[in-house]
Amino acid sequence: MIMIDFYQLFGQLIFMAMMGLILLLLVSLFLGRILLSNNRVVFPRLLLLTLDLFYGPFKRFASILGLSESIVDQIGVEVRNKVNEEKFNNIPAEDKLLVLPHCLRHPKCEAPLEPSGLKCKNCKKCVIGILKEKAEKIGYRVFIIPGSTFLKKIVKENKFKSVLGVACYQDLNLAMMKLSKFAPQGVPLLRDGCYKTKVDITMVLEKMGIQKPKRPRIQCGVDQKWTSP
């Protein structure tokens, strides 16, 4: 009898925990949609807690509801940008890194691959050279990397206080999650993939403080209307 009562109690606790998790995911998804639609973040710490602790289940939950799993990464990037923006802006450029993905390079890029990433020759054939030149001019250290392995090496071998990254939503969100103590900022690719990707140059320059914002930073995901100059 005691054993039966124990299993009943255990089952009830499991059920309550599952209901609590579903409620948490629903609330977080609702708050995230507010952010994506109105550029307004509500309870950011709750969102980050959900994203960090339940990243995988959150993506599956979004899929069950008929939404793209990428919405979880979109929410993650935008929340982290909002939470870290003020601290990021108060850090000198000399203490910041700009990390760009190698997929932005020109198809005929001749930049050699080194242990710290691609060594850009500033040929000006692609957006990488433009952003690298402008970033280094104000003090940023710039890295063009093929993957997360290079990012780990860069973090380990360099002293810095903050980082600005460009990548697809998933890679950007996961990287910002791992670098949370460095007040990261991220700019998502307009078109991702492994070849001929695109980024909004203006948005990157705005993040670096080189150009003043002329439009609201509303994350649009697949409805993104911004285009590169």
Side-chain angles (χ1 to χ4, degrees), residues 30-213:
F30 174 74
L31 295 177
R33 292 301 292 266
I34 291 177
L35 170 62
L36 301 186
S37 300
N38 303 315
N39 196 32
R40 181 167 62 92
V41 61
V42 182
F43 299 119
R45 299 301 175 185
L46 175 62
L47 280 169
L48 290 180
L49 176 67
T50 306
L51 287 162
D52 292 351
L53 292 181
F54 305 107
Y55 177 71
F58 200 3
K59 298 193 83 169
R60 288 192 292 272
F61 182 71
S63 180
I64 290 173
L65 294 180
L67 301 172
S68 171
E69 291 187 1
S70 66
I71 192 174
V72 174
D73 294 304
Q74 295 169 23
I75 293 171
V77 170
E78 292 306 312
V79 173
R80 296 178 206 282
N81 277 345
K82 287 290 184 182
V83 169
N84 297 317
E85 187 173 24
E86 183 176 355
K87 184 176 180 181
F88 175 86
N89 290 336
N90 289 329
I91 296 174
E94 293 79 9
D95 294 321
K96 295 177 182 176
L97 307 181
L98 172 61
V99 181
L100 301 171
H102 79 113
C103 57
L104 282 173
R105 63 180 177 172
H106 190 272
K108 295 183 179 180
C109 175
E110 297 181 359
L113 182 62
E114 298 184 351
S116 60
L118 290 177
K119 188 68 174 180
C120 178
K121 293 184 176 182
N122 297 312
C123 66
K124 303 299 189 339
K125 291 181 180 178
C126 68
V127 65
I128 289 178
I130 297 172
L131 292 175
K132 180 176 182 293
E133 181 180 27
K134 290 183 177 295
E136 291 181 337
K137 189 174 181 179
I138 62 173
Y140 274 78
R141 281 168 288 167
V142 182
F143 296 90
I144 305 104
I145 63 173
S148 58
T149 302
F150 285 82
L151 181 59
K152 293 178 182 178
K153 184 178 179 63
I154 291 169
V155 172
K156 184 178 180 180
E157 297 181 352
N158 291 271
K159 291 185 178 180
F160 61 99
K161 294 182 180 179
S162 193
V163 58
L164 170 60
V166 175
C168 66
Y169 271 114
Q170 178 169 300
D171 290 348
L172 197 56
N173 183 41
L174 293 176
M176 292 174 77
M177 188 187 302
K178 294 176 182 177
L179 299 175
S180 58
K181 67 178 181 180
F182 296 105
Q185 290 288 284
V187 178
L189 292 169
L190 292 174
R191 184 175 70 196
D192 57 18
C194 300
Y195 183 67
K196 288 187 176 181
T197 57
K198 290 186 177 181
V199 68
D200 186 335
I201 300 176
T202 302
M203 193 174 183
V204 179
L205 296 179
E206 288 175 1
K207 288 287 187 183
M208 289 192 289
I210 295 176
Q211 186 165 313
K212 292 183 179 179

Side-chain angles (χ1 to χ4, degrees), residues 5-23 54:
D5 291 341
F6 170 77
Y7 283 122
Q8 288 179 340
L9 178 61
F10 182 73
Q12 291 173 353
L13 290 175
I14 294 295
F15 177 77
M16 291 174 62
M18 291 180 63
M19 291 299 100
L21 176 58
I22 291 174
L23 179 60
F54 305 107

